[in-house]
Amino acid sequence: MSRADRQQAIDTLHQEFDGVRNAYFVEFTGLRVDQVNDLRRRIRQASGRYRVVKNRLAIRAAEGTALSGQEKLFDGPTAVAYSPDPVALAKVLAEFQKSAPIKVKGIVLEGRALPATALNGIVTMPPRPELIARFAGMLRSPLVKFAMLLKAPLRDFVAVVKQVADGKKESER
């Protein structure tokens, strides 16, 4: 590979890695071609990408991106799987690990490096829309309670007036 070709490959990888905030570094030793194709297909269905990289080129391409500082993970056969939805991708990788010999070496989640053991925690997380809905509910709950508290005196007053009015109707009969 000539120097120009290497630089072209580094630039291409850098452009790909530049927008990546969630990535999984995968060791794929022992996979057959049909298994790799199946893994790529599953990752694509999860709106992700799977890219086998040359370690030295990937280290240089990762400089200045969220993946920088992960040089120790680029050891041996390495692929980078990335997606905007880290939970869906984690579920794909965890499911695939059950039937094929892949190993997650490390994780970058929202630009922060995590150990490979964090995969199990990520897999059990609910999807992003559900997390957003839960968070919105948590924000809304105190406001709803406060609004109910403000309405309570008026509601109680109306209840008392209604009871008095019902009592007068009973006494008139």
Side-chain angles (χ1 to χ4, degrees):
M1 180 180 265
S2 72
R3 183 178 295 265
D5 291 340
R6 257 194 317 269
Q7 189 58 45
Q8 175 69 26
I10 290 170
D11 291 341
T12 302
L13 269 177
H14 183 76
Q15 286 176 347
E16 282 187 41
F17 290 166
D18 197 30
V20 173
R21 306 258 320 134
N22 308 303
Y24 297 86
F25 298 90
V26 179
E27 183 177 324
F28 57 90
T29 305
L31 286 182
R32 296 185 317 267
V33 173
D34 62 322
Q35 290 173 319
V36 171
N37 290 337
D38 184 38
L39 178 60
R40 286 180 194 272
R41 182 183 50 77
R42 290 183 189 190
I43 290 173
R44 248 185 276 124
Q45 288 174 345
S47 301
R49 292 223 29 208
Y50 177 85
R51 177 88 187 243
V52 176
V53 294
K54 290 188 176 189
N55 293 335
R56 290 186 188 262
L57 298 180
I59 290 169
R60 291 193 47 210
E63 292 174 0
T65 68
L67 304 183
S68 64
Q70 304 303 316
E71 290 83 13
K72 64 184 179 301
L73 298 176
F74 290 107
D75 183 34
T78 305
V80 179
Y82 53 93
S83 172
D85 184 2
V87 177
L89 186 55
K91 288 179 181 182
V92 167
L93 292 173
E95 184 66 29
F96 194 77
Q97 272 184 331
K98 294 176 185 176
S99 63
I102 65 168
K103 176 185 168 197
V104 175
K105 297 189 214 180
I107 302 169
V108 172
L109 187 64
E110 293 300 323
R112 291 185 28 212
L114 298 173
T117 56
L119 182 68
N120 293 332
I122 296 169
V123 168
T124 58
M125 286 177 62
R128 183 179 175 91
E130 185 177 333
L131 285 174
I132 291 170
R134 284 185 187 180
F135 182 69
M138 288 171 35
L139 288 176
R140 183 177 165 262
S141 178
L143 295 174
V144 169
K145 288 179 183 177
F146 183 67
M148 294 301 288
L149 185 65
L150 290 176
K151 289 180 184 179
L154 183 61
R155 183 185 61 229
D156 293 345
F157 177 72
V158 170
V160 168
V161 169
K162 184 176 182 199
Q163 287 175 354
V164 169
D166 289 345
K168 284 189 177 181
K169 287 181 185 177
E170 289 291 324
S171 65
E172 291 177 0
R173 288 185 190 178

